[in-house]
Amino acid sequence: AEYVYAAGPPYWMTARDAYRISYHWSDFLPRIFELKPVFMAEMYGYCMAAAHLGLKHQMARAFMVSNVEMDEGEGWQFLEHVDETACDVSQFKDSVPHVIHFCQRYSIGEYFINKYLFPTDILSCDFPLVEPPPLDILSKANYSHYGDGTTELWQDSGRKSKRRYRHAFMICSLFPALNEAATFYKKHHCPNGANYEKLWNHFRW
């Protein structure tokens, strides 16, 4: 069941199968939420509906990266032999997976991001862009400072070192992408000018 029903989006299916799954999905979800009132209940409902109908999935592994703690099922292999240059994400343009899923918290040094603690006015004309870390951040920071105030120190080798590189990659990929999106929006919706300074930092704003 783990390998054929426990599937997450994106999904490709026929309209007929989508209708059948949706029918049972909407039936299972409220009952699942009563037993397990978490935001993932909707995904559990989908998996239960697919299993109920016997609609097995063909899984695509390594399609995305999201959780720095995961070694199986996500496409972190492209960072296996990386060094302190992990923040120079341009070097991975031919090997990075198709999707970067912004679903966790990420931090390297004093640069932190979390979708639940992200500024809601990032697209307002007066709000600054995100302050990106320097490309050599990994040579300067051997820790991650999180939004809840905790700090994690990184070792020089082993599993912890892998996670450090993954944190840096996500920060250095997401920050420029967010700035590009915010800049595009402001240029089209701020006729009186906008703030394009890269100043926002979770710990200094």
Side-chain angles (χ1 to χ4, degrees):
E2 176 185 354
Y3 297 103
V4 293
Y5 297 124
Y11 308 110
W12 282 269
M13 66 186 79
T14 65
R16 184 185 299 273
D17 285 344
Y19 176 82
R20 295 168 66 203
I21 286 178
S22 298
Y23 180 85
H24 293 286
W25 189 0
S26 61
D27 181 41
F28 289 143
L29 177 53
R31 289 182 281 170
I32 292 173
F33 192 78
E34 286 181 9
L35 297 172
K36 199 173 183 67
V38 295
F39 77 97
M40 291 286 285
E42 55 85 18
M43 184 176 280
Y44 301 149
Y46 173 89
C47 296
M48 289 291 290
H52 176 75
L53 293 167
L55 292 174
K56 298 179 180 180
H57 294 75
Q58 175 65 51
M59 301 290 195
R61 304 290 176 183
F63 189 78
M64 67 159 192
V65 288
S66 176
N67 188 345
V68 300
E69 303 284 347
M70 286 192 67
D71 289 323
E72 213 174 303
E74 293 196 9
W76 289 112
Q77 296 85 350
F78 73 100
L79 281 180
E80 283 296 315
H81 305 292
V82 76
D83 54 19
E84 300 291 278
T85 65
C87 205
D88 181 9
V89 298
S90 63
Q91 64 184 301
F92 307 118
K93 60 181 172 47
D94 295 325
S95 57
V96 70
H98 301 291
V99 177
I100 293 178
H101 184 202
F102 179 20
C103 189
Q104 316 289 330
R105 66 176 188 173
Y106 309 106
S107 174
I108 189 67
E110 294 297 315
Y111 297 88
F112 168 80
I113 194 170
N114 181 326
K115 69 177 182 180
Y116 297 111
L117 299 175
F118 197 67
T120 56
D121 45 359
I122 186 69
L123 297 179
S124 69
C125 298
D126 296 328
F127 201 85
L129 300 177
V130 177
E131 177 192 3
L135 291 181
D136 60 349
I137 183 65
L138 281 166
S139 66
K140 300 175 179 178
N142 67 339
Y143 67 95
S144 288
H145 185 187
Y146 299 108
D148 59 5
T150 59
T151 299
E152 186 168 12
L153 295 176
W154 299 112
Q155 299 171 348
D156 292 332
S157 61
R159 178 172 171 74
K160 274 207 164 188
S161 182
K162 283 185 181 181
R163 288 169 52 209
R164 174 173 174 253
Y165 292 145
R166 293 173 183 181
H167 273 283
F169 171 81
M170 294 301 277
I171 288 285
C172 296
S173 296
L174 288 170
F175 280 25
L178 290 167
N179 282 342
E180 184 177 351
T183 297
F184 179 87
Y185 181 89
K186 291 180 180 186
K187 285 183 176 179
H188 289 80
H189 297 279
C190 298
N192 298 319
N195 186 352
Y196 296 107
E197 291 189 279
K198 298 175 182 178
L199 298 176
W200 182 85
N201 183 296
H202 177 83
F203 300 111
R204 297 194 295 273
W205 192 259

